[in-house]
Amino acid sequence: MLAVLLVHALAALVAPLCVRVLGRNAFYPLALVPLGSLGWVIAHWGTTVRTHTQWAPQISMDIDLRFDSLAAVMCVLVLGIGALILAYCGRYFERDEARLGVFAAELIGFAGAMFGLVTSDNMLLLYVFWEITTVLSFLLVGHYAERAVSRRAAIQALLVTGAGGLAMLVGIVILGTRYGSFLLSDLLATAPPAGTAVSVGIALVLIGAISKSAIVPLHFWLPGAMAAPTPVSAYLHAAAMVKAGVYLVARLAPAFAQTAPWHVLLLPLGIATMLLAGWRAIQVHDLKLVLAFGTVSQLGLLITMTAIGTPDAALAAITLLVAHALFKASLFMVVGIIDHGAGTRDLRRLSGLGRRAPWLCAVAVLAAFSMAGLPPLLGFVGKESALSALWSTEVLSAPARVALLAGVAVGSAFTVAYSIRFVWGAFGVTANPERVVTWHAPGPLLLGPPAVLAVAGLAGGLDTPAVDRWLSPYATSLPGVLDTHLALWHDFTGPLALTVLIVAAGLALFLIRGRIGEPAHPRLGNADRNYDAALRAMDRLSLRITGTVQSGSLPASQAAILGTLIVLPTILLALGTRTGVQLRLWDSPLQAAIGAIMIAMALAATVLRNRLASVLVVGVTGYGCGVIFALHGAPDLALTQFLVETLTLVIFVLVLRAFPAEIAEDQATAFKVRRALLAIGVGVTVAVLAAFATAARRSEPIWQAIPDAAYRIGGGKNAVNVLLVDIRAWDTLGEISVLVVAATGVASLVFRSRRFGSAPRAADSPHYDPDAVSWLPAARLVDRRERSMVLQITTRLIFPTIMVLSVYFFFSGHNAPGGGFAGGLIAGLALTLRYLAGGRYELGEALPVDAGHLLGAGLTLAAGTATASLLLGAPPLSSAIVEVTLPVLGHIKLVTALFFDLGVYLVVVGLALDVLRSLGARLDKELI
C-alpha cells in the first residue's frame, strides 16, 4: 500500500514534465499508474492487509494502513474510474490547454490521496489525507482561475469542506483520547464507552462526513463546483471525493450505528437531501447541474442506507455506491462530450443529438436508466435492495420505517423524472427555433471511458451473484444476520410493487415538468444566498471586533492584551484548585544583590530620556538574568543570554543612530498611574502563576530523565544542545524558519528595490587607495574623524580568535556548553566588530557572501537532516550515530545532529549579517 502511495506521489511530480513533452497524450501513460495500482487491489481482493510504519508514535502519528473488504470496493472505484478519467482527459482537453501539466499532477495526486484516505487505519492519518483531498479539490475546481465563477466555487468548496474537516478533527481527538487509541480497527473492535464524550465525538466526525458528501444543509457547494472541468466533476464529484463522507459513515457504522446521535443526525438529513436535491434537479436546465443536483440527491440516499446499520441495509448501500459511481461518472463524461460537440449544455438548446450520435445516446441511456433504477442495470438491483432493507428492518420504529420508505420512494420518483429529462433533453428532438444544430462527433478515445462504465453497470445488473460475492463481505461485518442477497429478480414482492409506483410517479413528473419551473424566489430559501449572507455577517463581525480592539493606539492595544493576561488567569486561578506555594527569597545574598540591580535598572529605563542610556540599562537587566542562570548551574542558558543580549544591544545602537539622542520635550510622557499599575499587575501575575505552576507538579519532573536520554539517544552530554538538535528538533526547525522569515521581513522593509545582500567590498569604492596603509582592508575608507586606530588594531588581533572561539563552541556544543546557536551568535558579534571598526565596506571583506544564501543554505541543511537520518535508520530529525576508526585519527564518533546544528549556525550567522547589512550598511548609505 505504501508503494501505491509513493508511485502516485512520484507520478504527480513527473506529470508536468510528461505533459510538456507529450502534450495531452501524456494522460495515457499517466493513466497506467492508477491502473497498475488497481492490479494490486485485485490481486489482494478478499484478504486483509496491514502496514505499520513508525513515524511519530509519541503523538500517535504512525503510518497505519489497512486494506479490507470496504477499502477494496472503494479502491476499485478510486483507481479504476481514475484511470478512465485520465484516459478521457487525453482527448477532452485541447492540445494547447493552459496549466494542463499542473492539472494532471493534481488529478493523479488526488487519486493517491483518496487511496490513502480509504486505506488509513490511523484516524489522524485519515484526516491528513482528508484535508489533502480538500486542498486538491480546491485547486481542481479552480482550474480556470481567470474565471470569477471558478474562483468563487473553489473557495466555497474549500470553506465548507474545510470547516467540516476541522470539526471532524476535534471529534477524532475526542474519540482517540476516550478509547486510548486512534486506530479505526481498535475502535471497531471495542464497544463504545458510556458517556457524553463519545456522542459528541461521533457527532463532530459526522459533521465532517456530511460536509464532504454535500448533505443538507451543507449541500450547496457541490452544484457550485460544477464550474470545474468536466473530468473533475466526473471523478471528484461523482466517483471519489463526495464518496469520502459515505465511506466514513460506512466505516464507523459497525460500531457506532446504535449510538445516540447517529440516526437522529443522519437519517432526517439524508432524506431531506434526497428530496430537496431531487426536486431541484427537475427544475434546472444545465445538463451538468441536473447531474450535480442528482448527485446530491443520491448522496442523501447513500447516507440514509449506510446509517441504518443493518447488514441488509449495508449491502444495499454499498451496491448503490458502486452503481452510482459507474453511472454518474459516465453521465458527466457524456455531458463533457456534448459540451465539446455542440458548444452548450443547455437543455433548451439541444435537439436531435440521438440521431447524430447514436453510440453516445446508447451510452447515456444505459447510464441514465441505471440512475433511474430500471432493470436489468445495477442501479435497479441496488434500489430494490434498498427498498427491501427498509421494508424489513427492525432497528427502526414502525413510524420511522414508514417515513423513510415514503421519503426514499418520493426521492426515487424524482430520480426517475430527472433521468428521463436528461436523456430526452439531451438526445430528443425539440421544435425550439434557437436549438443548436452544429455537432462534432466524438472519437473512440473520448467515447470509450464513459462506454466502459455504462457497460459495467449493465454487466453488474446481469451478473448479480458475482457482485454479491464481491460486496457482501462488508455487509457481514455489521452486527446482525445478512438475510438477503443481491439478485435481479426477487419474485413479486412489496418492494417490487413500490418500484412500479416509483417509475409511474417519475413518468408523471416528467410529463408535467413544464409546470415545475425554477421559481424566481425559492420557497425553501437559496443556499448560495445564505452562504453569502453568512460570509458578509462574519466580515461585519470581524470588522466590529477589530475596530473595537484595534483602535489604532499602540498603548491601548497593549493595555488590552496585558489586561487580559492579568484578569483571565487570575479568575481561573481563583476558581480552580490551589496548592501550597513554598518560596525562598534567594539561595545566596549574591542573587539578592543582582535582583536589586535589575530592579534599579528597570526603574531607570522608565525615567531616562536619553535613548541610548535607556537601551543600556535595559541590557543590564538581561545580563543580570544571565548571571542568575549561571549561579543556578545553567551555563548554556547563561551563555546564550549574554550573547543574545549583546547582539540585541548592537542592533538597538544601529537603529538609534537615525534618531535624536534624547526624547524631545513635547514627546516626553508624564508619569501615569494606570500604566504603572498595569505593569505591576503583569509582573505580579506572571510571578504568581509561575509559583503556582511549579507547586502544582505532582509527578516526577521530566528533567531528571533528560541527561541520561540525551547521552543514550542523542549521543551527547550537553542535554540542552541535544534537546535543541534531536529531541525537539522539529521545534528548532520551526524556530529557525521564523528567524529566516524575520530576516527576510526586515530586509524587505529596509531594501525598497533589491536586497542589499552582498555588501560592497573595499575595491568597489571610488575612494579606494590600494597603497594606503591600514590595519583593516576597508578601514582606510572610513572618515578620519571617525576612524579609531586602537579599535582597528584590536579588531585585527582578536577577530580570528573570536571566529576560532565560534567554531569551538559549535563543535563542542554537543558535549559542553555551546552549540550552533551560540557559535553563530559569537560569529555574528565578530562580524559586528569588523563593521564597527571598518565600516560597511569591511563587511564585504569579512564575509563576501549574500546573507540570503546563508539563510537558505542553513534552513535547507537543517531540513535535509530529516532525510539523512531516515537513510541511516533513525527517525526524522533525530541523531544517527556513526562510529569509525581511522588509521591516523583513531576512533571517531559522528552524530548526524551535527549537520542540523550546522544549519542552525548558518541561519544565525546569516541573520546577523542581514541585520548588519540592512540596519547597518544600508543605513550608512542612506545617512551619507
Side-chain angles (χ1 to χ4, degrees):
M1 287 183 280
L2 274 177
V4 172
L5 292 173
L6 292 175
V7 167
H8 277 81
L10 180 62
L13 290 175
V14 302
L17 179 61
C18 292
V19 173
R20 180 176 296 183
V21 174
L22 301 175
R24 64 179 183 175
N25 292 325
F27 282 100
Y28 295 112
L30 290 174
L32 296 177
V33 175
L35 189 62
S37 302
L38 180 62
W40 181 91
V41 172
I42 295 174
H44 292 82
W45 193 277
T47 63
T48 299
V49 183
R50 290 182 174 87
T51 297
H52 172 77
T53 302
Q54 184 172 310
W55 177 256
Q58 294 85 354
I59 57 173
S60 302
M61 270 300 295
D62 291 336
I63 301 175
D64 291 287
L65 304 176
R66 185 170 181 266
F67 178 84
D68 58 6
S69 56
L70 178 59
V73 175
M74 291 297 300
C75 287
V76 168
L77 299 181
V78 168
L79 299 174
I81 297 180
L84 290 173
I85 293 294
L86 286 168
Y88 177 81
C89 290
R91 286 298 173 268
Y92 175 82
F93 290 104
E94 301 296 335
R95 291 180 175 84
D96 57 348
E97 182 86 22
R99 298 184 66 252
L100 199 56
V102 175
F103 178 87
E106 293 165 354
L107 199 60
I108 201 166
F110 181 87
M114 276 299 300
F115 178 86
L117 189 154
V118 300
T119 56
S120 294
D121 193 28
N122 187 327
M123 292 189 292
L124 296 175
L125 182 65
L126 182 147
Y127 174 75
V128 171
F129 285 116
W130 186 282
E131 291 305 300
I132 291 175
T133 61
T134 297
V135 173
L136 289 175
S137 170
F138 164 75
L139 296 174
L140 289 166
V141 171
H143 175 68
Y144 299 120
E146 68 278 4
R147 303 176 185 174
V149 64
S150 296
R151 297 195 299 272
R152 170 187 163 81
I155 294 173
Q156 187 180 69
L158 178 68
L159 289 178
V160 175
T161 58
L166 290 176
M168 187 181 77
L169 176 61
V170 177
I172 287 174
V173 172
I174 292 174
L175 292 178
T177 304
R178 191 69 177 88
Y179 276 82
S181 173
F182 284 90
L183 297 183
L184 282 167
S185 53
D186 290 346
L187 267 65
L188 298 179
T190 308
T196 307
V198 173
S199 297
V200 173
I202 285 296
L204 291 172
V205 170
L206 293 180
I207 290 174
I210 65 176
S211 69
K212 200 79 159 182
S213 288
I215 301 300
V216 168
L218 304 176
H219 64 290
F220 53 89
W221 70 266
L222 181 54
M226 293 303 108
T230 298
V232 174
S233 302
Y235 191 30
L236 276 66
H237 307 137
M241 190 185 87
V242 293
K243 297 296 195 307
V246 178
Y247 161 77
L248 188 58
V249 173
R251 176 62 75 191
L252 297 175
F256 298 100
Q258 304 307 319
T259 54
W262 190 271
H263 285 164
V264 174
L265 182 63
L266 293 179
L267 294 182
L269 292 182
I271 292 298
T273 302
M274 190 179 184
L275 296 176
L276 177 63
W279 179 256
R280 290 288 290 128
I282 301 176
Q283 296 176 324
V284 294
H285 300 289
D286 188 322
L287 279 176
K288 211 171 177 183
L289 277 181
V290 172
L291 295 181
F293 281 110
T295 298
V296 175
S297 179
Q298 294 288 310
L299 288 170
L301 175 60
L302 288 172
I303 286 288
T304 300
M305 298 308 303
T306 308
I308 291 175
T310 63
D312 293 336
L315 180 59
I318 199 74
T319 306
L320 285 170
L321 185 145
V322 173
H324 180 266
L326 295 177
F327 64 67
K328 195 55 67 72
S330 177
L331 289 173
F332 269 116
M333 286 190 275
V334 167
V335 171
I337 294 173
I338 293 174
D339 198 9
H340 260 236
T344 184
R345 302 191 305 255
D346 195 328
L347 287 168
R348 295 165 295 187
R349 301 188 62 205
L350 295 171
S351 177
L353 293 188
R355 297 175 182 174
R356 298 183 179 186
W359 288 109
L360 181 64
C361 180
V363 170
V365 168
L366 277 179
F369 279 16
S370 182
M371 180 167 64
L374 301 179
L377 297 149
L378 187 59
F380 169 77
V381 177
K383 192 69 66 67
E384 286 294 294
S385 299
L387 294 175
S388 178
L390 286 171
W391 192 280
S392 60
T393 184
E394 296 180 355
V395 299
L396 301 174
S397 63
R401 186 169 67 250
V402 171
L404 284 182
L405 264 175
V408 170
V410 176
S412 299
F414 289 151
T415 305
V416 173
Y418 65 70
S419 299
I420 301 174
R421 182 169 181 256
F422 177 91
V423 174
W424 178 256
F427 298 98
V429 178
T430 63
N432 188 350
E434 297 182 0
R435 65 183 184 275
V436 174
V437 295
T438 58
W439 173 249
H440 301 291
L445 293 178
L446 188 61
L447 183 58
V452 169
L453 294 177
V455 172
L458 176 61
L462 295 175
D463 193 5
T464 50
V467 177
D468 184 81
R469 289 195 302 271
W470 296 335
L471 302 184
S472 57
Y474 163 69
T476 57
S477 67
L478 275 84
V481 179
L482 182 62
D483 295 323
T484 61
H485 293 278
L486 299 179
L488 190 59
W489 176 252
H490 282 288
D491 207 349
F492 293 101
T493 59
L496 180 62
L498 190 56
T499 298
V500 174
L501 290 176
I502 288 171
V503 173
L507 283 170
L509 285 171
F510 170 72
L511 293 175
I512 62 170
R513 64 189 183 280
R515 302 179 185 178
I516 313 176
E518 187 170 6
H521 303 285
R523 296 181 180 86
L524 298 178
N526 187 296
D528 266 335
R529 293 175 186 171
N530 293 337
Y531 164 81
D532 292 335
L535 289 186
R536 288 194 298 270
M538 286 189 287
D539 285 341
R540 288 194 298 268
L541 178 62
S542 64
L543 288 174
R544 288 184 179 180
I545 294 175
T546 304
T548 303
V549 177
Q550 302 293 334
S551 60
S553 169
L554 183 60
S557 299
Q558 288 180 326
I561 296 172
L562 296 176
T564 304
L565 175 64
I566 296 172
V567 174
L568 188 59
T570 303
I571 293 175
L572 294 177
L573 184 63
L575 297 177
T577 302
R578 292 177 296 279
T579 57
V581 177
Q582 296 180 356
L583 296 176
R584 296 191 303 273
L585 289 178
W586 54 72
D587 293 321
S588 70
L590 185 58
Q591 293 176 350
I594 295 170
I597 294 173
M598 293 172 64
I599 293 173
M601 293 299 102
L603 292 174
T606 64
V607 297
L608 287 173
R609 292 177 55 187
N610 185 281
R611 288 186 169 92
L612 181 58
S614 299
V615 170
L616 291 176
V617 297
V618 169
V620 173
T621 64
Y623 287 120
C625 185
V627 173
I628 291 177
F629 288 153
L631 292 175
H632 276 279
D636 264 291
L637 292 177
L639 176 63
T640 304
Q641 179 70 23
F642 290 144
L643 294 173
V644 169
E645 198 65 47
T646 303
L647 194 59
T648 304
L649 283 175
V650 171
I651 294 173
F652 267 111
V653 170
L654 293 177
V655 174
L656 290 179
R657 292 181 302 161
F659 289 85
E662 294 192 356
I663 301 174
E665 288 285 349
D666 57 341
Q667 295 178 346
T669 303
F671 177 77
K672 294 187 176 181
V673 177
R674 288 181 297 179
R675 293 187 181 183
L677 293 176
L678 182 63
I680 295 172
V682 170
V684 171
T685 300
V686 171
V688 169
L689 290 177
F692 274 99
T694 304
R697 178 180 292 149
R698 290 292 177 263
S699 59
E700 182 180 345
I702 192 174
W703 63 263
Q704 297 181 5
I706 287 179
D708 177 66
Y711 188 76
R712 179 171 44 84
I713 300 174
K717 297 178 182 178
N718 183 355
V720 175
N721 184 259
V722 174
L723 277 173
L724 293 175
V725 300
D726 185 306
I727 299 175
R728 55 181 293 268
W730 286 104
D731 290 343
T732 306
L733 181 62
E735 289 162 2
I736 63 175
S737 301
V738 172
L739 283 180
V740 173
V741 172
T744 305
V746 170
S748 300
L749 291 173
V750 175
F751 307 132
R752 294 186 293 271
S753 57
R754 59 180 295 275
R755 193 189 194 100
F756 205 64
S758 298
R761 304 186 66 170
D764 299 328
S765 172
H767 307 291
Y768 177 68
D769 182 6
D771 298 325
V773 178
S774 175
W775 287 92
L776 295 175
R780 60 178 62 90
L781 298 175
V782 179
D783 189 278
R784 290 181 179 273
R785 292 168 296 178
E786 300 177 2
R787 190 184 305 171
S788 171
M789 189 62 66
V790 175
L791 182 58
Q792 290 184 23
I793 296 173
T794 305
T795 302
R796 180 68 176 265
L797 293 175
I798 70 172
F799 176 79
T801 305
I802 297 177
M803 291 304 299
V804 170
L805 180 64
S806 168
V807 175
Y808 167 76
F809 272 120
F810 165 69
F811 280 106
S812 67
H814 211 56
N815 294 291
F821 190 75
L825 288 174
I826 292 174
L829 291 175
L831 293 173
T832 303
L833 185 61
R834 287 286 293 268
Y835 165 72
L836 294 176
R840 62 193 181 101
Y841 288 103
E842 191 63 31
L843 281 177
E845 299 295 333
L847 194 58
V849 180
D850 191 302
H853 293 169
L854 278 179
L855 292 167
L859 187 60
T860 302
L861 186 60
T865 308
T867 306
S869 301
L870 288 174
L871 295 177
L872 294 174
L877 283 181
S878 64
S879 297
I881 302 174
V882 180
E883 299 189 47
V884 294
T885 302
L886 300 178
V888 178
L889 299 177
H891 184 74
I892 296 178
K893 178 181 178 182
L894 177 65
V895 182
T896 57
L898 176 70
F899 301 103
F900 182 88
D901 218 10
L902 179 58
V904 175
Y905 181 92
L906 294 177
V907 167
V908 175
V909 173
L911 175 65
L913 191 61
D914 218 8
V915 169
L916 291 173
R917 288 179 178 171
S918 57
L919 301 178
R922 181 68 176 185
L923 197 56
D924 285 343
K925 189 176 181 180
E926 296 291 333
L927 293 175
I928 292 176

